């Protein structure tokens, strides 16, 4: 099933195979919405379980509202639980601690839930705005481990990084841990 292509609904990317793990560098809330709404819409319309972990500048309420404003039948997808929109505090920082093993196990549990409930796989996004410099090395190691787990699974993942919080070394780390990166250059989305 790894070779089966999935619609990303991101024009620049097109279709991608299961196991794709990429990132988006953003500067505004609108940048996040521009990429994540079509990304999740594709998953919802193509029988995928979706999980959206939010952080500043986009709250869970704003993400849900943006989804409802753009995606036909968003209310029904939310009501039946095909998409979960949760705060980073409830996913990455349970008990105020970042624990990469707990999070990786959590993604595996979500995938198993999705498959058990008849979905084709798991489509996810996690925003890293909450990440502090002190946690950078541990998070960088977590991103490397994700590639091993996600690369063999029916998972699509986009990790979002605020350019305002990344220095040049951080950008290099992020790009090295993802298959490719999206960023906005002079008003147009570009692929790195």
């Amino acid at each position: 099933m790894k070779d089966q292509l999935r619609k990303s609904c991101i024009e620049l990317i097109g279709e991608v195979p299961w196991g794709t793990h990429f990132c988006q560098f953003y500067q505004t809330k609108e940048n996040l919405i521009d990429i994540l709404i079509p990304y999740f819409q594709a998953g919802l319309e193509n029988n995928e379980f979706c999980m959206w972990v939010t952080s500043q500048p986009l709250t869970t309420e704003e993400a849900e509202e943006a989804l409802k404003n753009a995606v036909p039948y968003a209310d029904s997808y939310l009501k039946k639980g095909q998409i979960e929109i949760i705060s980073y505090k409830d996913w990455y920082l349970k008990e105020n601690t970042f624990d990469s093993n707990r999070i990786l196990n959590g993604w595996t549990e979500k995938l198993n839930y999705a498959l058990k409930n008849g979905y084709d796989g798991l489509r996810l996004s996690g925003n890293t705005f909450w990440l502090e410099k002190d946690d950078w090395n541990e998070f960088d190691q977590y991103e490397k481990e994700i590639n091993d787990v996600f690369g063999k699974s029916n998972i699509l993942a986009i990790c979002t990084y605020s350019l305002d919080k990344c220095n040049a070394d951080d950008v290099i780390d992020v790009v090295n841990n993802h298959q490719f990166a999206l960023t906005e250059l002079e008003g147009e989305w570009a692929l790195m």
Side-chain angles (χ1 to χ4, degrees):
M1 213 162 189
K2 173 104 169 86
D3 295 329
Q4 182 184 9
L5 294 178
R6 309 302 293 184
K7 293 179 182 178
S8 74
C9 276
I10 301 169
E11 188 175 321
L12 198 56
I13 298 171
E15 294 183 333
V16 294
W18 286 120
T20 300
H21 174 222
F22 63 104
C23 66
Q24 173 196 10
F25 291 105
Y26 69 90
Q27 291 184 300
T28 66
K29 183 186 309 190
E30 291 73 25
N31 289 157
L32 288 170
I33 291 169
D34 286 349
I35 295 298
L36 295 179
I37 293 297
Y39 170 78
F40 281 119
Q41 181 175 358
L44 293 168
E45 292 175 350
N46 289 285
N47 195 45
E48 296 170 12
F49 177 74
C50 299
M51 190 158 167
W52 187 351
V53 182
T54 65
S55 184
Q56 300 88 340
L58 189 65
T59 67
T60 55
E61 295 80 13
E62 291 169 324
E64 185 174 319
E65 189 64 30
L67 190 74
K68 287 178 179 179
N69 288 335
V71 177
Y73 312 109
D75 281 325
S76 65
Y77 293 125
L78 287 158
K79 187 175 180 179
K80 75 176 186 176
Q82 187 176 346
I83 182 167
E84 291 180 25
I85 304 173
I86 65 171
S87 168
Y88 72 97
K89 293 176 190 173
D90 297 325
W91 186 257
Y92 291 115
L93 296 180
K94 276 188 180 176
E95 300 173 13
N96 294 318
T97 303
F98 176 78
D99 179 345
S100 62
N101 288 327
R102 177 186 49 77
I103 297 163
L104 285 169
N105 289 335
W107 293 131
T108 301
E109 289 170 12
K110 289 294 181 182
L111 173 62
N112 291 338
Y113 168 85
L115 297 174
K116 180 181 173 189
N117 286 281
Y119 296 108
D120 293 349
L122 171 64
R123 181 176 294 234
L124 65 94
S125 177
N127 188 345
T128 62
F129 190 88
W130 58 270
L131 188 61
E132 299 296 330
K133 291 296 179 192
D134 293 347
D135 299 319
W136 187 264
N137 289 336
E138 184 179 0
F139 196 83
D140 182 55
Q141 185 59 42
Y142 157 78
E143 285 280 28
K144 290 174 183 166
E145 292 172 22
I146 279 179
N147 286 322
D148 291 335
V149 174
F150 290 6
K152 303 172 192 166
S153 304
N154 285 18
I155 295 177
L156 296 179
I158 179 172
C159 303
T160 56
Y161 289 85
S162 170
L163 277 174
D164 294 336
K165 292 192 73 173
C166 293
N167 63 34
D169 289 338
D170 298 339
V171 170
I172 291 168
D173 287 344
V174 171
V175 171
N176 281 335
N177 287 328
H178 295 84
Q179 291 166 290
F180 54 88
L182 289 170
T183 192
E184 190 179 39
L185 298 172
E186 299 176 3
E188 298 290 326
W189 285 104
L191 195 59
M192 296 190 301

